[in-house]
Amino acid sequence: MNASHFLSRLTDPIAAIGRCGQFLLRMIAGIRPGNRLAISSLQQTYLVGARSLVIIMICGFFVGMVLALQSVNALQSFGAEDQASLLVGKSLFRELGPVLTALLFAGRAGTAVTAEIGLMRATSQIDAMELMAIDPVHRIALPRFLAGLISMPLLAGMFNAMAILGSVVFAIGVIGLDPGIFWGKLQNSITFQEDFLQGVLKSVVFGSLVSLVAVYYGYTSKPTGAGVGTATTNTIVVSSVLVLIFDFILTSFFA
Amino acid sequence: MPQNAVELNNLSFSRGSRTILNGINATITEGSVVAIMGPSGAGKTTILRLISGQLRPDGGSIRIFGRDIHQMNRSELFAFRRQIGVLLQNGALFTDLTVFENIATPVREHTGLPEALIRRLVMSKLNAVGLGGTENLMPHELSGGMARRIAFARAVALDPSLMLYDEPLTGLDPIAVSTVSRLIRETNDALGLTSIIVTHNVVQMQKLADYCIIIADREIAGAGHPKDLADSDNPKVRQFMNGEVDGPIPFRYQSEHQWSLTG
Ligand SMILES: Nc1ncnc2c1ncn2[C@@H]1O[C@H](COP(=O)(O)OP(=O)(O)OP(=O)(O)O)[C@@H](O)[C@H]1O
Ligand SMILES: [Mg+2]
């Protein structure tokens, strides 16, 4: 590996971030509030949300059960299994809810959006749109981006709800903790500002990251089958890495 | 007296180190139907993409209705493109929209017409291509030839002043070929358009076109009325018009490195 090759390895990701940012600006610059944008964004929200809802509910339920199991296991040695719901709630609202939802969302909806836009590129639909003097960034990319932004917090909320249900089923139904104590601790331990808002903010940020990456890679994919494949892979890899990096940044910002 | 709709002045274009077009000069008068012909890979699609502003020339200029389109910024170009209709080589229908919505898309975008008028306009375009009744189908439910005709209807939906067709006749059955050529001619004359057609179909071209430009070897090998071209002095033009295998135009891809069996 020679020096320039090595250098480009370092600069390529930075350049990619710059181009992503430019793409974001191009989308934002084109926002013309109106019925058409609202309708197509809501349509996309429905598609994106419906695509991801089932998998997110199932995963949420199991994550909740695992959380309850692990917390009870860990706390039992101190005789503090009453506090289990505190651990479940905090870790869910602050970390696991937004992060796991974002990762699942990237895998389910993000890749689908990339492949869809990439295929439009490969079959000249994007060219055709430009030739009709319709800006494809506004018509195709923007509604899908906004849809990601809207649906991520909703999906994260659904994930949390299912996870709490899972933890209740496991901790109360299987282990036999006292329901009153479990629910009471959960209610008292979760604060609106620190836990709930932090979770919502994270899911909004992650939603915009994932959907920006998804529309960007779809829009810039090479117009071939292999090109669309590479773009789809890039979406999942890059958005997962970004979600985890931003999770750290946001958490340290709140701490 | 007819004006020039399109002027190509000393146009050249390369991809990497390969020169695709070199020193192309041509004028296309308003109201005419002009065919661009030439062997596969000669750069016909490239010329159309230069005219529609999707590609930038490396040298020379293109004037459309007197305006240099490569001097425009993006929004001027977009505004200008409303006058240009393009039929791409594969039709490029929007696969997630119905036939009706495909044709309605440019109309919705660029006119404030009420829904009832849009409906009438779309249906009249659909009937003009002989596909009334298909408005609720999705593009994947159409045959290749039907898709081409829908794409045609979409391209003329806004009544452009200049139409660019990339191989509109390829892959159609003989009846559809005649239908589409007649459609091109009638649309051209009824709306007073100028049409540029890339085609391989010499017979149809002779019936359809007022003027024909033959591109080979990066340059214009011949231009003129189709009837005159068939007995042109230029051996390249004669070879192409008569479909002969032997002649100055090679069948193979021209690359810098030619391999030979003898080594
Ligand atoms: N995206 C591209 N990248 C690199 N080279 C290209 C690209 N598109 C076309 N070319 C090259 O440019 C040349 C002209 O291509 P063009 O598509 O204009 O040919 P054409 O005359 O339309 O051929 P056909 O009749 O087969 O459609 C070809 O030799 C092709 O190899
Ligand atoms: Mg071509």
Side-chain angles (χ1 to χ4, degrees), chain A residues 26 36 120 123-125 127-135 139 144, chain B residues 52 54 74 78 81 86 88 90 92-95 105 108-110 154:
Chain A
R26 228 177 116 187
R36 185 189 290 147
M120 288 182 175
T123 53
S124 321
Q125 295 180 49
D127 283 340
M129 203 166 259
E130 291 212 322
L131 287 168
M132 280 174 201
I134 301 175
D135 190 341
R139 184 53 76 85
R144 287 167 176 76
Chain B
S52 62
Q54 288 168 284
R74 195 177 155 82
F78 263 47
R81 275 193 187 151
V86 183
L88 292 173
N90 62 3
L93 293 178
F94 303 133
T95 43
T105 297
R108 290 229 166 86
E109 177 76 17
H110 296 304
R154 185 179 69 179

PDB file of all heavy atoms in Angstrom, chain A residues 26 36 120 123-125 127-135 139 144, chain B residues 52 54 74 78 81 86 88 90 92-95 105 108-110 154:
ATOM      1  N   ARG A  26     -29.095  20.101  -0.030  1.00  0.00           N
ATOM      2  CA  ARG A  26     -29.870  20.160  -1.267  1.00  0.00           C
ATOM      3  C   ARG A  26     -31.327  19.778  -1.018  1.00  0.00           C
ATOM      4  O   ARG A  26     -32.240  20.360  -1.585  1.00  0.00           O
ATOM      5  CB  ARG A  26     -29.257  19.196  -2.286  1.00  0.00           C
ATOM      6  CG  ARG A  26     -29.062  19.835  -3.654  1.00  0.00           C
ATOM      7  CD  ARG A  26     -28.403  18.852  -4.575  1.00  0.00           C
ATOM      8  NE  ARG A  26     -29.290  18.517  -5.657  1.00  0.00           N
ATOM      9  CZ  ARG A  26     -29.031  17.571  -6.559  1.00  0.00           C
ATOM     10  NH1 ARG A  26     -27.902  16.882  -6.480  1.00  0.00           N
ATOM     11  NH2 ARG A  26     -29.880  17.324  -7.518  1.00  0.00           N
ATOM     12  N   ARG A  36     -48.433  18.411  -1.465  1.00  0.00           N
ATOM     13  CA  ARG A  36     -47.822  17.276  -2.144  1.00  0.00           C
ATOM     14  C   ARG A  36     -46.725  16.664  -1.289  1.00  0.00           C
ATOM     15  O   ARG A  36     -46.670  15.452  -1.117  1.00  0.00           O
ATOM     16  CB  ARG A  36     -47.268  17.711  -3.487  1.00  0.00           C
ATOM     17  CG  ARG A  36     -46.737  16.517  -4.240  1.00  0.00           C
ATOM     18  CD  ARG A  36     -45.997  16.923  -5.478  1.00  0.00           C
ATOM     19  NE  ARG A  36     -46.900  17.451  -6.478  1.00  0.00           N
ATOM     20  CZ  ARG A  36     -46.535  18.415  -7.316  1.00  0.00           C
ATOM     21  NH1 ARG A  36     -45.332  18.934  -7.229  1.00  0.00           N
ATOM     22  NH2 ARG A  36     -47.367  18.846  -8.225  1.00  0.00           N
ATOM     23  N   MET A 120     -34.347   2.821  -9.282  1.00  0.00           N
ATOM     24  CA  MET A 120     -34.858   3.921 -10.104  1.00  0.00           C
ATOM     25  C   MET A 120     -33.731   4.532 -10.918  1.00  0.00           C
ATOM     26  O   MET A 120     -33.915   4.890 -12.082  1.00  0.00           O
ATOM     27  CB  MET A 120     -35.463   5.009  -9.223  1.00  0.00           C
ATOM     28  CG  MET A 120     -36.763   4.630  -8.596  1.00  0.00           C
ATOM     29  SD  MET A 120     -37.356   6.025  -7.636  1.00  0.00           S
ATOM     30  CE  MET A 120     -38.941   5.403  -7.144  1.00  0.00           C
ATOM     31  N   THR A 123     -32.761   2.074 -13.786  1.00  0.00           N
ATOM     32  CA  THR A 123     -33.715   1.965 -14.892  1.00  0.00           C
ATOM     33  C   THR A 123     -34.040   3.341 -15.485  1.00  0.00           C
ATOM     34  O   THR A 123     -35.090   3.516 -16.095  1.00  0.00           O
ATOM     35  CB  THR A 123     -35.022   1.304 -14.423  1.00  0.00           C
ATOM     36  OG1 THR A 123     -35.502   2.009 -13.277  1.00  0.00           O
ATOM     37  CG2 THR A 123     -34.808  -0.145 -14.054  1.00  0.00           C
ATOM     38  N   SER A 124     -33.154   4.307 -15.292  1.00  0.00           N
ATOM     39  CA  SER A 124     -33.259   5.662 -15.868  1.00  0.00           C
ATOM     40  C   SER A 124     -34.468   6.449 -15.409  1.00  0.00           C
ATOM     41  O   SER A 124     -34.808   7.453 -16.024  1.00  0.00           O
ATOM     42  CB  SER A 124     -33.286   5.660 -17.400  1.00  0.00           C
ATOM     43  OG  SER A 124     -32.438   4.748 -17.941  1.00  0.00           O
ATOM     44  N   GLN A 125     -35.159   5.988 -14.352  1.00  0.00           N
ATOM     45  CA  GLN A 125     -36.325   6.769 -13.912  1.00  0.00           C
ATOM     46  C   GLN A 125     -35.910   8.124 -13.373  1.00  0.00           C
ATOM     47  O   GLN A 125     -36.639   9.109 -13.500  1.00  0.00           O
ATOM     48  CB  GLN A 125     -37.101   6.003 -12.851  1.00  0.00           C
ATOM     49  CG  GLN A 125     -37.710   4.731 -13.383  1.00  0.00           C
ATOM     50  CD  GLN A 125     -38.482   3.988 -12.320  1.00  0.00           C
ATOM     51  OE1 GLN A 125     -39.299   4.539 -11.609  1.00  0.00           O
ATOM     52  NE2 GLN A 125     -38.227   2.698 -12.203  1.00  0.00           N
ATOM     53  N   ASP A 127     -33.224   9.831 -14.400  1.00  0.00           N
ATOM     54  CA  ASP A 127     -32.939  10.637 -15.599  1.00  0.00           C
ATOM     55  C   ASP A 127     -34.228  11.185 -16.189  1.00  0.00           C
ATOM     56  O   ASP A 127     -34.328  12.366 -16.534  1.00  0.00           O
ATOM     57  CB  ASP A 127     -32.264   9.784 -16.677  1.00  0.00           C
ATOM     58  CG  ASP A 127     -30.806   9.539 -16.365  1.00  0.00           C
ATOM     59  OD1 ASP A 127     -30.247  10.314 -15.573  1.00  0.00           O
ATOM     60  OD2 ASP A 127     -30.232   8.586 -16.916  1.00  0.00           O
ATOM     61  N   ALA A 128     -35.221  10.300 -16.308  1.00  0.00           N
ATOM     62  CA  ALA A 128     -36.484  10.709 -16.927  1.00  0.00           C
ATOM     63  C   ALA A 128     -37.102  11.857 -16.145  1.00  0.00           C
ATOM     64  O   ALA A 128     -37.648  12.802 -16.716  1.00  0.00           O
ATOM     65  CB  ALA A 128     -37.444   9.527 -16.985  1.00  0.00           C
ATOM     66  N   MET A 129     -36.989  11.784 -14.832  1.00  0.00           N
ATOM     67  CA  MET A 129     -37.562  12.827 -13.996  1.00  0.00           C
ATOM     68  C   MET A 129     -36.837  14.153 -14.213  1.00  0.00           C
ATOM     69  O   MET A 129     -37.466  15.207 -14.344  1.00  0.00           O
ATOM     70  CB  MET A 129     -37.462  12.382 -12.546  1.00  0.00           C
ATOM     71  CG  MET A 129     -38.449  13.040 -11.658  1.00  0.00           C
ATOM     72  SD  MET A 129     -38.540  12.195 -10.091  1.00  0.00           S
ATOM     73  CE  MET A 129     -40.002  11.238 -10.313  1.00  0.00           C
ATOM     74  N   GLU A 130     -35.505  14.094 -14.256  1.00  0.00           N
ATOM     75  CA  GLU A 130     -34.745  15.324 -14.507  1.00  0.00           C
ATOM     76  C   GLU A 130     -35.111  15.901 -15.868  1.00  0.00           C
ATOM     77  O   GLU A 130     -35.211  17.117 -16.019  1.00  0.00           O
ATOM     78  CB  GLU A 130     -33.248  15.035 -14.483  1.00  0.00           C
ATOM     79  CG  GLU A 130     -32.729  14.694 -13.110  1.00  0.00           C
ATOM     80  CD  GLU A 130     -31.306  15.151 -12.925  1.00  0.00           C
ATOM     81  OE1 GLU A 130     -30.544  15.046 -13.903  1.00  0.00           O
ATOM     82  OE2 GLU A 130     -30.968  15.608 -11.821  1.00  0.00           O
ATOM     83  N   LEU A 131     -35.314  15.024 -16.845  1.00  0.00           N
ATOM     84  CA  LEU A 131     -35.660  15.504 -18.185  1.00  0.00           C
ATOM     85  C   LEU A 131     -37.039  16.142 -18.217  1.00  0.00           C
ATOM     86  O   LEU A 131     -37.341  16.938 -19.094  1.00  0.00           O
ATOM     87  CB  LEU A 131     -35.590  14.348 -19.181  1.00  0.00           C
ATOM     88  CG  LEU A 131     -34.167  13.910 -19.501  1.00  0.00           C
ATOM     89  CD1 LEU A 131     -34.156  12.594 -20.241  1.00  0.00           C
ATOM     90  CD2 LEU A 131     -33.448  14.974 -20.299  1.00  0.00           C
ATOM     91  N   MET A 132     -37.901  15.759 -17.259  1.00  0.00           N
ATOM     92  CA  MET A 132     -39.203  16.417 -17.166  1.00  0.00           C
ATOM     93  C   MET A 132     -39.119  17.666 -16.337  1.00  0.00           C
ATOM     94  O   MET A 132     -40.150  18.224 -15.953  1.00  0.00           O
ATOM     95  CB  MET A 132     -40.181  15.495 -16.438  1.00  0.00           C
ATOM     96  CG  MET A 132     -40.744  14.437 -17.260  1.00  0.00           C
ATOM     97  SD  MET A 132     -41.674  13.438 -16.112  1.00  0.00           S
ATOM     98  CE  MET A 132     -41.711  11.984 -17.072  1.00  0.00           C
ATOM     99  N   ALA A 133     -37.902  18.068 -15.989  1.00  0.00           N
ATOM    100  CA  ALA A 133     -37.698  19.256 -15.165  1.00  0.00           C
ATOM    101  C   ALA A 133     -38.336  19.104 -13.792  1.00  0.00           C
ATOM    102  O   ALA A 133     -38.863  20.044 -13.222  1.00  0.00           O
ATOM    103  CB  ALA A 133     -38.215  20.509 -15.858  1.00  0.00           C
ATOM    104  N   ILE A 134     -38.320  17.875 -13.263  1.00  0.00           N
ATOM    105  CA  ILE A 134     -38.736  17.643 -11.885  1.00  0.00           C
ATOM    106  C   ILE A 134     -37.475  17.251 -11.132  1.00  0.00           C
ATOM    107  O   ILE A 134     -36.759  16.364 -11.574  1.00  0.00           O
ATOM    108  CB  ILE A 134     -39.766  16.504 -11.787  1.00  0.00           C
ATOM    109  CG1 ILE A 134     -40.991  16.835 -12.635  1.00  0.00           C
ATOM    110  CG2 ILE A 134     -40.147  16.246 -10.353  1.00  0.00           C
ATOM    111  CD1 ILE A 134     -41.998  15.717 -12.698  1.00  0.00           C
ATOM    112  N   ASP A 135     -37.192  17.920 -10.018  1.00  0.00           N
ATOM    113  CA  ASP A 135     -35.961  17.616  -9.299  1.00  0.00           C
ATOM    114  C   ASP A 135     -36.133  16.331  -8.497  1.00  0.00           C
ATOM    115  O   ASP A 135     -36.921  16.291  -7.559  1.00  0.00           O
ATOM    116  CB  ASP A 135     -35.610  18.778  -8.370  1.00  0.00           C
ATOM    117  CG  ASP A 135     -34.219  18.607  -7.797  1.00  0.00           C
ATOM    118  OD1 ASP A 135     -33.714  17.471  -7.834  1.00  0.00           O
ATOM    119  OD2 ASP A 135     -33.641  19.597  -7.329  1.00  0.00           O
ATOM    120  N   ARG A 139     -38.386  15.186  -5.172  1.00  0.00           N
ATOM    121  CA  ARG A 139     -39.527  14.327  -5.387  1.00  0.00           C
ATOM    122  C   ARG A 139     -39.328  12.943  -4.787  1.00  0.00           C
ATOM    123  O   ARG A 139     -40.253  12.349  -4.237  1.00  0.00           O
ATOM    124  CB  ARG A 139     -39.795  14.223  -6.892  1.00  0.00           C
ATOM    125  CG  ARG A 139     -41.013  13.423  -7.240  1.00  0.00           C
ATOM    126  CD  ARG A 139     -42.238  13.905  -6.506  1.00  0.00           C
ATOM    127  NE  ARG A 139     -42.752  15.132  -7.078  1.00  0.00           N
ATOM    128  CZ  ARG A 139     -43.573  15.178  -8.108  1.00  0.00           C
ATOM    129  NH1 ARG A 139     -43.981  14.073  -8.668  1.00  0.00           N
ATOM    130  NH2 ARG A 139     -43.984  16.323  -8.562  1.00  0.00           N
ATOM    131  N   ARG A 144     -38.760  10.424   1.498  1.00  0.00           N
ATOM    132  CA  ARG A 144     -38.265   9.226   2.178  1.00  0.00           C
ATOM    133  C   ARG A 144     -37.418   9.609   3.388  1.00  0.00           C
ATOM    134  O   ARG A 144     -37.429   8.919   4.414  1.00  0.00           O
ATOM    135  CB  ARG A 144     -37.490   8.351   1.199  1.00  0.00           C
ATOM    136  CG  ARG A 144     -38.429   7.643   0.222  1.00  0.00           C
ATOM    137  CD  ARG A 144     -37.700   7.008  -0.951  1.00  0.00           C
ATOM    138  NE  ARG A 144     -38.626   6.276  -1.801  1.00  0.00           N
ATOM    139  CZ  ARG A 144     -39.474   6.838  -2.668  1.00  0.00           C
ATOM    140  NH1 ARG A 144     -39.504   8.154  -2.793  1.00  0.00           N
ATOM    141  NH2 ARG A 144     -40.279   6.107  -3.415  1.00  0.00           N
TER     142      ARG A 144
ATOM    143  N   SER B  52     -30.014  17.469 -24.558  1.00  0.00           N
ATOM    144  CA  SER B  52     -30.940  17.664 -23.438  1.00  0.00           C
ATOM    145  C   SER B  52     -30.237  18.235 -22.215  1.00  0.00           C
ATOM    146  O   SER B  52     -30.877  18.461 -21.195  1.00  0.00           O
ATOM    147  CB  SER B  52     -31.601  16.336 -23.073  1.00  0.00           C
ATOM    148  OG  SER B  52     -30.617  15.421 -22.659  1.00  0.00           O
ATOM    149  N   GLN B  54     -27.953  16.762 -20.334  1.00  0.00           N
ATOM    150  CA  GLN B  54     -27.532  15.801 -19.312  1.00  0.00           C
ATOM    151  C   GLN B  54     -26.024  15.639 -19.303  1.00  0.00           C
ATOM    152  O   GLN B  54     -25.446  15.232 -18.311  1.00  0.00           O
ATOM    153  CB  GLN B  54     -28.159  14.434 -19.571  1.00  0.00           C
ATOM    154  CG  GLN B  54     -29.633  14.370 -19.290  1.00  0.00           C
ATOM    155  CD  GLN B  54     -30.207  13.098 -19.857  1.00  0.00           C
ATOM    156  OE1 GLN B  54     -30.410  12.985 -21.061  1.00  0.00           O
ATOM    157  NE2 GLN B  54     -30.461  12.129 -19.010  1.00  0.00           N
ATOM    158  N   ARG B  74     -28.634  25.638 -13.269  1.00  0.00           N
ATOM    159  CA  ARG B  74     -29.522  24.496 -13.136  1.00  0.00           C
ATOM    160  C   ARG B  74     -30.999  24.877 -13.220  1.00  0.00           C
ATOM    161  O   ARG B  74     -31.791  24.198 -13.866  1.00  0.00           O
ATOM    162  CB  ARG B  74     -29.226  23.810 -11.800  1.00  0.00           C
ATOM    163  CG  ARG B  74     -29.802  22.424 -11.691  1.00  0.00           C
ATOM    164  CD  ARG B  74     -29.387  21.796 -10.372  1.00  0.00           C
ATOM    165  NE  ARG B  74     -30.348  20.781  -9.979  1.00  0.00           N
ATOM    166  CZ  ARG B  74     -30.338  19.536 -10.454  1.00  0.00           C
ATOM    167  NH1 ARG B  74     -29.419  19.175 -11.303  1.00  0.00           N
ATOM    168  NH2 ARG B  74     -31.243  18.656 -10.061  1.00  0.00           N
ATOM    169  N   PHE B  78     -33.684  23.748 -16.026  1.00  0.00           N
ATOM    170  CA  PHE B  78     -34.924  23.068 -15.691  1.00  0.00           C
ATOM    171  C   PHE B  78     -36.117  23.777 -16.322  1.00  0.00           C
ATOM    172  O   PHE B  78     -37.023  23.146 -16.844  1.00  0.00           O
ATOM    173  CB  PHE B  78     -35.081  22.970 -14.167  1.00  0.00           C
ATOM    174  CG  PHE B  78     -34.633  21.651 -13.620  1.00  0.00           C
ATOM    175  CD1 PHE B  78     -33.423  21.111 -14.030  1.00  0.00           C
ATOM    176  CD2 PHE B  78     -35.411  20.945 -12.728  1.00  0.00           C
ATOM    177  CE1 PHE B  78     -33.003  19.888 -13.542  1.00  0.00           C
ATOM    178  CE2 PHE B  78     -34.997  19.720 -12.237  1.00  0.00           C
ATOM    179  CZ  PHE B  78     -33.796  19.198 -12.640  1.00  0.00           C
ATOM    180  N   ARG B  81     -36.175  23.008 -19.970  1.00  0.00           N
ATOM    181  CA  ARG B  81     -36.503  21.625 -20.342  1.00  0.00           C
ATOM    182  C   ARG B  81     -37.990  21.378 -20.481  1.00  0.00           C
ATOM    183  O   ARG B  81     -38.401  20.357 -21.022  1.00  0.00           O
ATOM    184  CB  ARG B  81     -35.939  20.666 -19.290  1.00  0.00           C
ATOM    185  CG  ARG B  81     -34.503  20.316 -19.559  1.00  0.00           C
ATOM    186  CD  ARG B  81     -34.094  19.154 -18.709  1.00  0.00           C
ATOM    187  NE  ARG B  81     -32.668  18.896 -18.827  1.00  0.00           N
ATOM    188  CZ  ARG B  81     -31.947  18.368 -17.856  1.00  0.00           C
ATOM    189  NH1 ARG B  81     -32.517  18.076 -16.714  1.00  0.00           N
ATOM    190  NH2 ARG B  81     -30.670  18.130 -18.043  1.00  0.00           N
ATOM    191  N   VAL B  86     -38.505  14.100 -24.041  1.00  0.00           N
ATOM    192  CA  VAL B  86     -37.507  13.086 -24.344  1.00  0.00           C
ATOM    193  C   VAL B  86     -38.105  11.703 -24.157  1.00  0.00           C
ATOM    194  O   VAL B  86     -38.744  11.429 -23.145  1.00  0.00           O
ATOM    195  CB  VAL B  86     -36.271  13.217 -23.419  1.00  0.00           C
ATOM    196  CG1 VAL B  86     -35.217  12.209 -23.811  1.00  0.00           C
ATOM    197  CG2 VAL B  86     -35.712  14.622 -23.472  1.00  0.00           C
ATOM    198  N   LEU B  88     -36.719   8.131 -23.696  1.00  0.00           N
ATOM    199  CA  LEU B  88     -35.455   7.426 -23.472  1.00  0.00           C
ATOM    200  C   LEU B  88     -35.485   6.039 -24.109  1.00  0.00           C
ATOM    201  O   LEU B  88     -36.548   5.507 -24.418  1.00  0.00           O
ATOM    202  CB  LEU B  88     -35.193   7.291 -21.969  1.00  0.00           C
ATOM    203  CG  LEU B  88     -34.903   8.603 -21.254  1.00  0.00           C
ATOM    204  CD1 LEU B  88     -34.824   8.376 -19.755  1.00  0.00           C
ATOM    205  CD2 LEU B  88     -33.592   9.186 -21.743  1.00  0.00           C
ATOM    206  N   ASN B  90     -35.133   3.099 -23.046  1.00  0.00           N
ATOM    207  CA  ASN B  90     -35.924   2.010 -22.443  1.00  0.00           C
ATOM    208  C   ASN B  90     -37.281   2.483 -21.921  1.00  0.00           C
ATOM    209  O   ASN B  90     -37.949   1.763 -21.197  1.00  0.00           O
ATOM    210  CB  ASN B  90     -35.125   1.354 -21.317  1.00  0.00           C
ATOM    211  CG  ASN B  90     -34.829   2.332 -20.200  1.00  0.00           C
ATOM    212  OD1 ASN B  90     -35.264   3.474 -20.254  1.00  0.00           O
ATOM    213  ND2 ASN B  90     -34.115   1.901 -19.195  1.00  0.00           N
ATOM    214  N   ALA B  92     -38.326   4.128 -19.477  1.00  0.00           N
ATOM    215  CA  ALA B  92     -38.133   4.671 -18.127  1.00  0.00           C
ATOM    216  C   ALA B  92     -39.433   5.141 -17.483  1.00  0.00           C
ATOM    217  O   ALA B  92     -39.509   6.214 -16.896  1.00  0.00           O
ATOM    218  CB  ALA B  92     -37.095   5.797 -18.124  1.00  0.00           C
ATOM    219  N   LEU B  93     -40.467   4.316 -17.556  1.00  0.00           N
ATOM    220  CA  LEU B  93     -41.696   4.641 -16.826  1.00  0.00           C
ATOM    221  C   LEU B  93     -41.431   4.528 -15.326  1.00  0.00           C
ATOM    222  O   LEU B  93     -40.577   3.746 -14.903  1.00  0.00           O
ATOM    223  CB  LEU B  93     -42.812   3.670 -17.224  1.00  0.00           C
ATOM    224  CG  LEU B  93     -43.309   3.791 -18.663  1.00  0.00           C
ATOM    225  CD1 LEU B  93     -44.368   2.744 -18.942  1.00  0.00           C
ATOM    226  CD2 LEU B  93     -43.863   5.184 -18.933  1.00  0.00           C
ATOM    227  N   PHE B  94     -42.170   5.317 -14.539  1.00  0.00           N
ATOM    228  CA  PHE B  94     -42.028   5.222 -13.084  1.00  0.00           C
ATOM    229  C   PHE B  94     -42.731   3.955 -12.628  1.00  0.00           C
ATOM    230  O   PHE B  94     -43.952   3.836 -12.728  1.00  0.00           O
ATOM    231  CB  PHE B  94     -42.629   6.446 -12.398  1.00  0.00           C
ATOM    232  CG  PHE B  94     -42.023   7.727 -12.880  1.00  0.00           C
ATOM    233  CD1 PHE B  94     -42.810   8.802 -13.238  1.00  0.00           C
ATOM    234  CD2 PHE B  94     -40.648   7.853 -12.997  1.00  0.00           C
ATOM    235  CE1 PHE B  94     -42.249   9.987 -13.687  1.00  0.00           C
ATOM    236  CE2 PHE B  94     -40.077   9.026 -13.459  1.00  0.00           C
ATOM    237  CZ  PHE B  94     -40.875  10.088 -13.803  1.00  0.00           C
ATOM    238  N   THR B  95     -41.950   3.011 -12.080  1.00  0.00           N
ATOM    239  CA  THR B  95     -42.504   1.689 -11.836  1.00  0.00           C
ATOM    240  C   THR B  95     -43.481   1.652 -10.663  1.00  0.00           C
ATOM    241  O   THR B  95     -44.236   0.705 -10.532  1.00  0.00           O
ATOM    242  CB  THR B  95     -41.381   0.671 -11.582  1.00  0.00           C
ATOM    243  OG1 THR B  95     -40.416   1.278 -10.713  1.00  0.00           O
ATOM    244  CG2 THR B  95     -40.712   0.276 -12.869  1.00  0.00           C
ATOM    245  N   THR B 105     -47.857  12.931 -14.251  1.00  0.00           N
ATOM    246  CA  THR B 105     -46.797  13.527 -13.426  1.00  0.00           C
ATOM    247  C   THR B 105     -46.250  14.848 -13.967  1.00  0.00           C
ATOM    248  O   THR B 105     -46.244  15.845 -13.241  1.00  0.00           O
ATOM    249  CB  THR B 105     -45.656  12.512 -13.207  1.00  0.00           C
ATOM    250  OG1 THR B 105     -46.179  11.410 -12.496  1.00  0.00           O
ATOM    251  CG2 THR B 105     -44.509  13.124 -12.427  1.00  0.00           C
ATOM    252  N   ARG B 108     -49.030  17.598 -13.730  1.00  0.00           N
ATOM    253  CA  ARG B 108     -49.244  18.074 -12.361  1.00  0.00           C
ATOM    254  C   ARG B 108     -48.135  19.002 -11.943  1.00  0.00           C
ATOM    255  O   ARG B 108     -48.366  20.018 -11.294  1.00  0.00           O
ATOM    256  CB  ARG B 108     -49.243  16.891 -11.389  1.00  0.00           C
ATOM    257  CG  ARG B 108     -50.420  16.016 -11.501  1.00  0.00           C
ATOM    258  CD  ARG B 108     -51.048  15.746 -10.129  1.00  0.00           C
ATOM    259  NE  ARG B 108     -52.359  15.178 -10.358  1.00  0.00           N
ATOM    260  CZ  ARG B 108     -52.561  13.877 -10.542  1.00  0.00           C
ATOM    261  NH1 ARG B 108     -51.549  13.049 -10.463  1.00  0.00           N
ATOM    262  NH2 ARG B 108     -53.755  13.422 -10.794  1.00  0.00           N
ATOM    263  N   GLU B 109     -46.891  18.634 -12.293  1.00  0.00           N
ATOM    264  CA  GLU B 109     -45.743  19.405 -11.820  1.00  0.00           C
ATOM    265  C   GLU B 109     -45.724  20.800 -12.427  1.00  0.00           C
ATOM    266  O   GLU B 109     -45.414  21.770 -11.757  1.00  0.00           O
ATOM    267  CB  GLU B 109     -44.454  18.660 -12.181  1.00  0.00           C
ATOM    268  CG  GLU B 109     -43.183  19.394 -11.812  1.00  0.00           C
ATOM    269  CD  GLU B 109     -42.874  19.331 -10.309  1.00  0.00           C
ATOM    270  OE1 GLU B 109     -43.452  18.477  -9.619  1.00  0.00           O
ATOM    271  OE2 GLU B 109     -42.058  20.156  -9.858  1.00  0.00           O
ATOM    272  N   HIS B 110     -46.060  20.910 -13.709  1.00  0.00           N
ATOM    273  CA  HIS B 110     -45.793  22.170 -14.396  1.00  0.00           C
ATOM    274  C   HIS B 110     -47.023  22.982 -14.754  1.00  0.00           C
ATOM    275  O   HIS B 110     -46.907  24.061 -15.293  1.00  0.00           O
ATOM    276  CB  HIS B 110     -44.979  21.909 -15.661  1.00  0.00           C
ATOM    277  CG  HIS B 110     -43.628  21.342 -15.356  1.00  0.00           C
ATOM    278  ND1 HIS B 110     -42.736  21.975 -14.532  1.00  0.00           N
ATOM    279  CD2 HIS B 110     -43.025  20.197 -15.750  1.00  0.00           C
ATOM    280  CE1 HIS B 110     -41.636  21.244 -14.430  1.00  0.00           C
ATOM    281  NE2 HIS B 110     -41.785  20.164 -15.143  1.00  0.00           N
ATOM    282  N   ARG B 154     -46.330  10.163 -22.358  1.00  0.00           N
ATOM    283  CA  ARG B 154     -45.836  10.984 -21.250  1.00  0.00           C
ATOM    284  C   ARG B 154     -44.919  12.085 -21.760  1.00  0.00           C
ATOM    285  O   ARG B 154     -44.964  13.219 -21.281  1.00  0.00           O
ATOM    286  CB  ARG B 154     -45.093  10.090 -20.249  1.00  0.00           C
ATOM    287  CG  ARG B 154     -44.652  10.817 -19.012  1.00  0.00           C
ATOM    288  CD  ARG B 154     -43.955   9.901 -18.035  1.00  0.00           C
ATOM    289  NE  ARG B 154     -42.656   9.456 -18.531  1.00  0.00           N
ATOM    290  CZ  ARG B 154     -41.830   8.665 -17.852  1.00  0.00           C
ATOM    291  NH1 ARG B 154     -42.172   8.227 -16.659  1.00  0.00           N
ATOM    292  NH2 ARG B 154     -40.679   8.296 -18.362  1.00  0.00           N
TER     293      ARG B 154
END
